[in-house]
């Protein structure tokens, strides 16, 4: 659902349903919310030292404690920074890959309800 950032933030603060969660990729912070870039450093020193460059993409995810990410595999290096609150990750070693069967699934369909 597309909405202004202000409306999204109001929904997040209000809580309730639907669960407010902003999730965009492909350099979403710089491309879709450039006004926030004044508050964000060009790179995180640990990331620049580890990867040898500033980030190719800066993505932004915003949610509350009800936001949950499904088990997935990223095909690129990541450095995750939590601004406030906490995020719990379950990291699995490459040796676990044979036990994580990948398969095609139908795309999810979500509808907001008044419940």
């Amino acid at each position: 659902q597309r909405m202004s950032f202000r409306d999204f933030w109001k929904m997040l603060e209000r809580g309730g349903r639907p669960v407010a969660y902003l999730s965009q990729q492909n350099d979403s912070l710089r491309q879709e919310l450039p006004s926030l870039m004044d508050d964000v450093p060009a790179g995180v020193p640990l990331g620049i030292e580890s990867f040898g460059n500033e980030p190719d993409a800066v993505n932004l995810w915003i949610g509350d404690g009800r936001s949950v990410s499904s088990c997935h595999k990223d095909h690129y290096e990541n450095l995750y920074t939590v601004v406030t609150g906490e995020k719990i990750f379950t990291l699995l070693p490459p040796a676990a890959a044979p036990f994580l069967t990948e398969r095609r699934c139908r795309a999810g369909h979500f509808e907001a309800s008044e419940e």
Side-chain angles (χ1 to χ4, degrees):
Q1 177 181 352
R2 293 193 66 84
M3 64 178 64
S4 71
F5 189 75
R6 180 185 312 269
D7 289 343
F8 167 78
W9 197 258
K10 286 179 185 175
M11 182 189 301
L12 184 67
E13 288 179 322
R14 186 175 60 241
R17 295 238 178 240
V19 174
Y21 184 61
L22 184 144
S23 172
Q24 294 293 323
Q25 296 190 26
N26 301 321
D27 205 22
S28 65
L29 183 59
R30 293 187 286 208
Q31 298 299 318
E32 296 185 33
L33 299 166
S35 60
L36 297 179
M37 288 305 299
D38 289 342
D39 299 318
V40 178
V44 177
L46 174 64
I48 294 169
E49 183 178 334
S50 299
F51 303 132
N53 58 287
E54 290 185 0
D56 294 329
V58 180
N59 297 314
L60 178 67
W61 292 270
I62 300 175
D64 61 19
R66 299 170 300 155
S67 303
V68 177
S69 300
S70 62
C71 181
H72 66 279
K73 173 178 65 175
D74 287 337
H75 299 279
Y76 42 84
E77 295 83 6
N78 285 282
L79 184 61
Y80 202 97
T81 304
V82 177
V83 176
T84 185
E86 66 181 35
K87 174 74 174 173
I88 298 172
F89 288 90
T90 301
L91 301 177
L92 303 170
F99 307 105
L100 301 171
T101 56
E102 293 184 46
R103 59 189 165 118
R104 291 197 176 270
C105 298
R106 283 188 340 188
H109 177 79
F110 301 93
E111 293 183 22
S113 69
E114 297 299 319
E115 295 178 16

